[in-house]
Amino acid sequence: MAKLNKKNIIKTKDFLSLADMTGIDILKLLELAGEIKLKQSSGEEYHPLKGKILGMIFEKSSTRTRVSFEAGMLQLGGHALFLSSDDIQLGRGETIEDTGKVLSQFVDALMLRTHEHSKAEALANAADVPVINGLTDMYHPCQALADLLTIQEIKGSFKGLNIAYIGDGNNVAHSLMLASAKTGMNFSIACPAGYEPDSEVIKLAKNEALHNGGTITITHSPKEAILEADAVYADVWTSMGQEQENSIRLKEFKDFKIDQNLVKHAKPDYIFMHCLPAHREEEVAAEVIDGPNSVVFRQAGNRLHAQKALLVDLMLH
């Protein structure tokens, strides 16, 4: 059971997925992100987390997650500690529960990037401080917040937008599907048979979409998913931990590459999005990801701003 924190936008102690947030709360958090981005980009001093410490536990390698959280804490006046599982006792058999209880004595919040989502839940249950999901095999909610911020900045609103995700029904797809459902967008995912999103996540997203005026479509046809899309999204076909499946996945996904022929079916002003890192000429053609409709680097930059809002909301209570 998630612990309540009713004073803040996020009503739970922790941020493990978007499932615990309402669409209204997501919009409020994005508004805060926009305010912080504007405030700091104008040169105004804003250090609400002065003296605060974020402990960052990594069991998976990272570029954007590590740098955006570390830079975000520094820019907000706080400090971040990089804790690789190879460098702390977690890598030598100490339980995640004991790790959470101990680190709660030293830091003001924890961020975990790991494999099993159950490990993030166990850390959150054991820790006395807020726990942020920096990525698990089930969800990548911080990425979804950055995705929403990017879409909002460019398109202005969410209601009625068509989001097409072409590729594996993975953690990024799960979080983006929930984000779309919570904000009233129409989400379509095209993937090979056997690579669909988790059935429970689909069920949850469809229920949310029903209440918020959006739709969820699961198809095996990239052309069907991308038709009249306002945003086209891709991720790598082989995620971390799936390297042994790479040759099989390359064959299974060969008809799911996003190229100029496919994006012709999207709206002319579509935006191309990718959580990065990208494998050009696998899931996406270079002419698309490096083309005029691509917003992937703005999207990556918004990891910093979305997470600043998350940090401020969770750590100031």
Side-chain angles (χ1 to χ4, degrees), residues 119-317:
K119 187 171 284 188
E121 292 174 328
L123 179 65
N125 286 332
D128 294 324
V129 297
V131 171
I132 298 169
N133 175 6
L135 176 143
T136 66
D137 290 345
M138 182 60 72
Y139 294 116
H140 197 356
C142 292
Q143 179 65 55
L145 286 180
D147 298 340
L148 288 177
L149 183 59
T150 305
I151 292 169
Q152 186 182 57
E153 288 178 342
I154 297 170
K155 297 297 184 180
S157 61
F158 298 115
K159 291 288 186 181
L161 291 182
N162 300 321
I163 310 299
Y165 183 102
I166 315 294
D168 190 19
N170 59 14
N171 50 3
V172 172
H174 288 161
S175 290
L176 184 62
M177 182 163 55
L178 283 175
S180 299
K182 296 270 188 180
T183 54
M185 295 190 287
N186 303 312
F187 178 87
S188 297
I189 178 171
C191 51
Y195 293 92
E196 297 87 355
D198 180 85
S199 59
E200 288 301 313
V201 179
I202 293 174
K203 182 179 178 181
L204 177 61
K206 284 188 173 182
N207 184 58
E208 289 286 348
L210 186 64
H211 287 89
N212 293 301
T215 60
I216 302 295
T217 302
I218 315 297
T219 179
H220 300 134
S221 168
K223 187 175 178 180
E224 178 186 348
I226 205 170
L227 189 64
E228 293 298 304
D230 295 284
V232 178
Y233 202 115
D235 190 9
V236 293
W237 292 339
T238 305
S239 298
M240 286 181 288
Q242 299 173 333
E243 289 78 8
Q244 72 280 4
E245 303 174 21
N246 187 54
S247 60
I248 297 173
R249 284 173 171 266
L250 288 176
K251 294 176 183 177
E252 296 279 1
F253 284 87
K254 63 181 176 61
D255 296 326
F256 290 78
K257 177 181 177 180
I258 299 174
D259 56 20
Q260 288 288 23
N261 288 327
L262 186 59
V263 297
K264 286 177 183 177
H265 300 287
K267 290 181 180 176
D269 64 344
Y270 83 94
I271 56 174
F272 176 74
M273 308 180 74
H274 195 302
C275 55
L276 302 179
H279 294 167
R280 285 167 174 78
E281 304 310 331
E282 286 187 14
E283 72 271 10
V284 60
E287 60 186 354
V288 173
I289 192 171
D290 298 320
N293 294 76
S294 178
V295 297
V296 297
F297 299 113
R298 178 174 182 172
Q299 177 188 2
N302 274 336
R303 287 289 302 276
L304 174 68
H305 307 296
Q307 287 162 198
K308 281 182 186 177
L310 188 62
L311 291 166
V312 168
D313 190 63
L314 285 173
M315 297 177 75
L316 291 182
H317 59 82

Side-chain angles (χ1 to χ4, degrees), residues 69-91:
F69 270 111
E70 196 160 338
M73 281 299 296
L74 179 64
Q75 292 172 15
L76 292 169
H79 185 71
L81 299 174
F82 174 73
L83 305 170
S84 167
S85 59
D86 294 330
D87 298 330
I88 60 177
Q89 297 298 332
L90 185 63

